[in-house]
Amino acid sequence: MRALIRTLLVGLGFSSALVFAQPGYFRYAAPVPDGIVFTAEGDLWRVPSAGGAATRLTTHARSESRAAVSPDGKTLAFSAALEGPTEVYTMPVNGGDTKRLTFEGENAFVIGWTPKGEVLYSTARFSGLPVRQLATINPHTLARRVLPVQKSAEGVVTDDTWLIFTRNGLLRSDNARRYKGGAMAQIWAMNLATEAEAIPLTREAQGNNSQPMWWQGKVYFVSDRSGARNLWRMERDGSGARQLTFLKPGEMDLRQTQLYAGRIAYTVGSELRVFDIAANAERSVKATLTSDFEQRRERWVATPLRNYTSASLSPNGDWAAITARGQVVVAGTGDVRRTDVATPAGSRSRAATFSADGRHLLMFNDLSGEMELTQLSASNAPTTATRQLTSGGDMLRLGVAPSPDGKFVAHTDQANRLWLTEISGNKTELIEQAVREPRNLTWAKDSSALAYTKSLRNRRSGDAMFMLPIATRKPVPLTTDRYSVNALAFSPDNKWLYFASDRHLQPTPGGPWGTRNMGVAFDKRDRVYALALQSGNRWPFAPRDELSMAAPPEAVASAPAPAASGPARSTPRLATIDFTGLAERLYEVPAALLPAGNISRLQTDGRRLFYLEGDALFAQRGALKSVAIDALAAPAEVHSTDVIDFAVAENAVGGQRKLLVVRRAENAPQPDFAIMDAAARPPATPPELARTALRLADWQIKLNPRDEWRQMFNDAWRMHRDYFYDPAMHGVDWKAMRAKYEPQLAKLTDREELADLLGQMIAEVNALHSQVGAGDTRTTPEQVGIGALGAVFSPVAGGLKIDKIYRTE
């Protein structure tokens, strides 16, 4: 009976504590009396020296790390962001009340302790530059001493007051292995009693040498001179270097060392290890975590729009598909039902766009391991299966552009290739490979041709405009790259192709340049032009005369609205493109109506031109403006401000087209969306925006962190493959690197550990500027903002004395 009960309990998951105690992803190991302290799940833990179940020492929502024990073995110093910035704290070695030591408003990183019982830490607080230096602080009196060495972020004070420190190095911000640049980490020594000139103990020819430690008259340190990072030992004068551990190139990195009482603790990858100096032996320490792993459990994200990436308007303008945080939602205005599109678990969707019939969404999804073009139901109808339209992708796919007749989807990829996919047969054809990614993919209204821009010569040249007739699949050049083209828009009647081009060159500032000018700039370069797609078309901005009997644009009939359940259909009203002499039929929108500006997007409903104009070059948001397509029109008007994107519906319903506006006000945490009548007179007032707002304020997404972390790992691997400047990845087998680090995913317990894992993986290609941010980490309500003075003061009789004014960057 007992055996039966035991079997039932095992089946139900109640067999023993081992079900809940799991290995973790360990960082920042530090030896303490009869144990090791490390960081996991964002907290400090302690495990016995022999290994086993670890005990949690801290529980704060923010991360605690870089622990180091005092010389008497009673106190831990560590870095934590308990009240805002990362500062230095202490607590009893077995856990207890914490005490804050520093109030600097900078990242204060604990390095260790001095023999006198001061905490040694690194900070950028006193340099006035983005470099770090060492300082000490007394945990009892809070007396602080800044050590007279710069560009140093690691070090140790010996028992006879020498400072052994690391100069230069990547300072743990860049992720690179085998770094050989001008800032190679080297170990120096300085007598703190005399402050005489420091002397080098290692040389660049010996590789990177860092993390110096001191024990019984010897310097212990980490060096990659053997081809991999290992522990070494040398005399204080730098002589007698001897290798202590023997990791080989290709194995996990040795990282984050601490020394106490003859034992050096460190991590290799995410594994705890200890080197016993007396025994001259290394051993692995197996530790388990008993936890509810709160940061791994499924949860609801209340603000997915903070990670907004794109928006698409349905053909009739009633719905918008919003892509945010890899998920897609279809929403409308008022009380209409919102639909969460069923993105496959563990995958990410990008650039969701409505199909021509409005029933489906076309997007990129990476469920297959690559970003492939995928078709999903826009309403989650159970009868509509998910279809993967492309396969065999080897680069990040970009730019979904479905044709108005619903037959094709044009898209590009990071390899600068233009593709055309036939939806009905899942057939994908390579059209061309350009010097730079083809952009501004825009379909003619009869689906007979695709207009786009591409560079002709190199990545620094401007973009020329081309048109691809679907019948011939042979691109036709429409402009040169002498003046770059962007923001393409076909008129609804298929008679005009509008575009913006940087042909207005007014230097700013004007001459003479003056001694302080670093060079001339050309702001507000873009003017709007159009190509007549048929010979004989009358330019709608031309002044009316007695020979012109054309009705004004406002009276031009729109194509009939499509049936509610059917696709948009071409009609005889759509003119056929005449390619003969097309490039010569060029017109300019009058500058009096639409002056030069920084134009990033252009669309038309046939009556007006809508365009997005930034108030400065490369602005991330701007004003949505519009102008009537009429020689008698008033100058362009502001429709909405703080706009980051907009779209005009393809089909008119009841003779009117709708307009999607995506706005993000200054300092707003997330954008807002509105669908309004394109004919509404600008500017849109707040009440109008409120009435037309999409129902998204209460949108939440269910998130499985472990699924998302795995997807982000794969995404980071792909992006490095696709965007790294060297296609050969510096000779690194990049597929092997994914296989090497992917097993670590099972150990992750929080988002910072994922960032650490990504840092280890991308370090393999050995490139600078490879920082990794921790992203979506936990926070607490008591986090406060900080302010800092631009000077150092000291008290004097009757006031304060300015000792130093900081330099800016």
Side-chain angles (χ1 to χ4, degrees):
M1 178 61 70
R2 288 181 180 178
L4 176 60
I5 294 175
R6 179 180 177 84
T7 301
L8 289 173
L9 290 175
V10 169
L12 294 172
F14 297 111
S15 61
S16 71
L18 291 178
V19 173
F20 305 100
Q22 302 178 24
Y25 188 95
F26 305 134
R27 299 182 294 149
Y28 299 109
V32 298
D34 195 31
I36 300 172
V37 171
F38 57 88
T39 295
E41 206 177 357
D43 294 321
L44 296 181
W45 298 69
R46 176 171 175 165
V47 67
S49 296
T55 301
R56 192 192 299 265
L57 301 181
T58 62
T59 60
H60 196 271
R62 299 297 295 271
S63 179
E64 298 85 50
S65 63
R66 304 174 191 270
V69 69
S70 60
D72 61 8
K74 296 181 179 180
T75 306
L76 278 180
F78 59 96
S79 296
L82 305 186
E83 294 141 330
T86 300
E87 302 283 4
V88 175
Y89 292 80
T90 58
M91 67 183 301
V93 71
N94 292 320
D97 294 337
T98 60
K99 178 182 179 180
R100 181 173 175 176
L101 301 190
T102 61
F103 297 81
E104 298 179 357
E106 288 281 351
N107 288 328
F109 296 150
V110 170
I111 303 300
W113 293 73
T114 71
K116 296 180 180 179
E118 303 164 303
V119 178
L120 178 67
Y121 67 101
S122 76
T123 177
R125 173 71 172 81
F126 306 103
S127 66
L129 294 170
V131 296
R132 306 187 71 80
Q133 64 188 117
L134 295 170
T136 66
I137 191 166
N138 187 305
H140 306 292
T141 67
L142 302 188
R144 181 176 53 208
R145 178 173 53 140
V146 180
L147 302 184
V149 288
Q150 284 203 357
K151 295 186 179 180
S152 61
E154 300 166 342
V156 63
V157 178
T158 70
D159 47 18
D160 54 356
T161 70
W162 276 76
L163 173 65
I164 313 295
F165 65 96
T166 303
R167 188 172 186 274
N168 292 326
L170 299 182
L171 306 183
R172 301 179 184 176
S173 58
D174 281 333
N175 294 282
R177 303 180 76 180
R178 307 172 303 280
Y179 171 68
K180 301 298 182 184
M184 291 178 65
Q186 300 302 324
I187 297 176
W188 291 61
M190 169 185 275
N191 189 323
L192 292 178
T194 65
E195 295 190 4
E197 187 72 21
I199 58 174
L201 304 186
T202 61
R203 302 289 181 179
E204 289 185 358
Q206 299 168 327
N208 291 275
N209 302 278
S210 62
Q211 302 185 50
M213 298 161 283
W214 179 258
W215 179 248
Q216 294 182 345
K218 307 288 185 182
V219 178
Y220 294 82
F221 63 102
V222 176
S223 178
D224 63 3
R225 63 183 72 185
S226 67
R229 289 163 59 90
N230 278 288
L231 282 179
W232 289 70
R233 182 179 67 200
M234 65 181 172
E235 303 297 329
R236 191 172 63 188
D237 62 2
S239 63
R242 176 186 173 191
Q243 186 173 346
L244 303 179
T245 61
F246 297 91
L247 293 170
K248 294 180 173 54
E251 296 186 73
M252 293 286 190
D253 248 348
L254 184 152
R255 313 157 70 228
Q256 306 161 349
T257 59
Q258 280 286 341
L259 188 153
Y260 173 76
R263 292 181 300 135
I264 303 174
Y266 47 93
T267 57
V268 174
S270 64
E271 176 190 349
L272 295 176
R273 294 193 187 182
V274 172
F275 184 85
D276 189 311
I277 294 176
N280 192 33
E282 177 192 42
R283 64 183 180 87
S284 177
V285 177
K286 304 298 183 183
T288 57
L289 308 178
T290 303
S291 171
D292 62 354
F293 300 108
E294 185 269 340
Q295 296 181 75
R296 298 200 310 200
R297 68 179 179 85
E298 287 189 340
R299 60 189 176 90
W300 288 91
V301 177
T303 55
L305 290 175
R306 293 188 178 185
N307 302 106
Y308 160 80
T309 53
S310 68
S312 169
L313 190 60
S314 66
N316 62 10
D318 287 343
W319 303 89
I322 310 298
T323 308
R325 197 166 179 144
Q327 305 295 313
V328 180
V329 65
V330 174
T333 60
D335 295 329
V336 297
R337 178 177 176 269
R338 185 177 61 239
T339 301
D340 290 341
V341 177
T343 299
S347 69
R348 173 191 176 191
S349 295
R350 296 179 58 254
T353 304
F354 279 98
S355 61
D357 60 8
R359 294 180 176 181
H360 301 89
L361 288 171
L362 299 161
M363 67 191 74
F364 296 123
N365 182 271
D366 65 351
L367 184 64
S368 68
E370 295 287 348
M371 280 290 178
E372 300 288 1
L373 185 63
T374 306
Q375 183 186 72
L376 286 84
S377 168
S379 61
N380 276 347
T383 57
T384 306
T386 298
R387 289 180 59 198
Q388 183 177 313
L389 303 181
T390 61
S391 61
D394 58 359
M395 281 281 172
L396 178 65
R397 296 188 189 269
L398 306 162
V400 180
S403 63
D405 63 4
K407 295 181 179 179
F408 298 98
V409 182
H411 51 95
T412 62
D413 65 20
Q414 181 58 23
N416 305 322
R417 294 173 292 195
L418 174 62
W419 301 87
L420 190 65
T421 295
E422 185 178 350
I423 295 178
S424 62
N426 286 25
K427 298 178 181 178
T428 297
E429 177 182 354
L430 175 63
I431 300 301
E432 67 169 317
Q433 182 160 11
V435 177
R436 186 169 58 189
E437 174 206 344
R439 295 182 289 182
N440 300 297
L441 307 183
T442 308
W443 283 92
K445 298 307 178 183
D446 64 353
S447 302
S448 66
L450 174 76
Y452 61 97
T453 63
K454 68 173 183 177
S455 176
L456 298 179
R457 293 172 292 168
N458 55 59
R459 300 186 67 88
R460 293 183 179 273
S461 64
D463 282 354
M465 182 166 61
F466 285 75
M467 191 177 291
L468 176 76
I470 299 305
T472 65
R473 304 291 207 274
K474 296 180 179 179
V476 176
L478 301 181
T479 69
T480 70
D481 62 352
R482 181 175 182 181
Y483 300 106
S484 191
V485 173
N486 70 88
L488 315 184
F490 283 90
S491 62
D493 58 9
N494 216 46
K495 291 184 176 182
W496 299 94
L497 173 56
Y498 292 94
F499 62 93
S501 182
D502 62 354
R503 307 184 184 196
H504 180 78
L505 304 178
Q506 181 65 44
T508 303
W513 309 129
T515 58
R516 298 186 180 180
N517 184 63
M518 298 302 293
V520 65
F522 294 93
D523 195 15
K524 300 184 182 302
R525 296 177 292 187
D526 297 319
R527 296 288 302 276
V528 176
Y529 302 85
L531 289 173
L533 300 181
Q534 299 82 29
S535 59
N537 286 357
R538 176 177 172 80
W539 178 229
F541 287 98
R544 297 200 186 106
D545 54 36
E546 67 277 8
L547 300 179
S548 173
M549 302 301 293
E554 286 78 359
V556 175
S558 300
S565 60
R569 295 180 175 86
S570 300
T571 71
R573 298 172 187 264
L574 296 179
T576 301
I577 298 174
D578 178 8
F579 286 92
T580 304
L582 175 57
E584 283 73 44
R585 300 194 293 266
L586 178 67
Y587 294 81
E588 180 180 46
V589 176
L593 302 183
L594 202 163
N598 301 309
I599 298 174
S600 59
R601 187 164 173 78
L602 177 69
Q603 287 197 318
T604 178
D605 65 349
R607 294 179 171 86
R608 303 184 71 84
L609 289 174
F610 295 88
Y611 62 99
L612 187 59
E613 181 181 0
D615 55 3
L617 202 60
F618 308 121
Q620 297 300 308
R621 62 170 66 91
L624 173 59
K625 298 182 178 181
S626 71
V627 63
I629 303 176
D630 188 352
L632 303 179
E637 303 169 307
V638 175
H639 188 286
S640 303
T641 58
D642 297 314
V643 176
I644 56 178
D645 200 5
F646 77 94
V648 177
E650 286 288 323
N651 301 325
V653 179
Q656 300 292 336
R657 279 185 170 81
K658 295 184 180 181
L659 177 72
L660 169 67
V661 180
V662 184
R663 299 173 64 252
R664 189 195 299 256
E666 192 69 31
N667 300 321
Q670 60 190 41
D672 58 64
F673 306 81
I675 295 178
M676 58 190 68
D677 187 345
R681 305 293 349 121
T685 63
E688 288 173 328
L689 290 174
R691 287 195 301 271
T692 59
L694 293 188
R695 184 183 168 188
L696 287 170
D698 59 345
W699 180 42
Q700 300 184 45
I701 60 175
K702 191 175 184 180
L703 175 70
N704 183 317
R706 282 185 282 188
D707 286 346
E708 188 178 60
W709 295 342
R710 181 171 293 277
Q711 190 281 327
M712 293 170 72
F713 175 88
N714 292 328
D715 227 6
W717 181 86
R718 286 194 301 262
M719 284 191 283
H720 243 65
R721 175 199 66 186
D722 297 347
Y723 284 91
F724 195 61
Y725 77 96
D726 177 16
M729 304 300 289
H730 282 179
V732 173
D733 184 341
W734 196 231
K735 290 184 178 179
M737 292 306 103
R738 177 158 69 174
K740 175 180 176 179
Y741 290 98
E742 192 171 26
Q744 301 290 323
L745 287 169
K747 300 180 180 180
L748 299 183
T749 61
D750 71 4
R751 179 63 179 81
E752 290 190 6
E753 292 170 0
L754 173 63
D756 185 83
L757 178 61
L758 295 179
Q760 290 195 65
M761 180 173 68
I762 67 176
E764 296 281 359
V765 297
N766 193 27
L768 296 185
H769 308 293
S770 55
Q771 297 90 350
V772 177
D776 188 13
T777 56
R778 291 189 300 179
T779 186
T780 56
E782 66 267 22
Q783 297 297 304
V784 296
I786 59 173
L789 298 174
V792 175
F793 298 86
S794 61
V796 296
L800 295 173
K801 171 189 173 186
I802 299 178
D803 297 322
K804 176 180 180 179
I805 297 177
Y806 289 121
R807 294 171 55 192
T808 67
E809 294 186 35

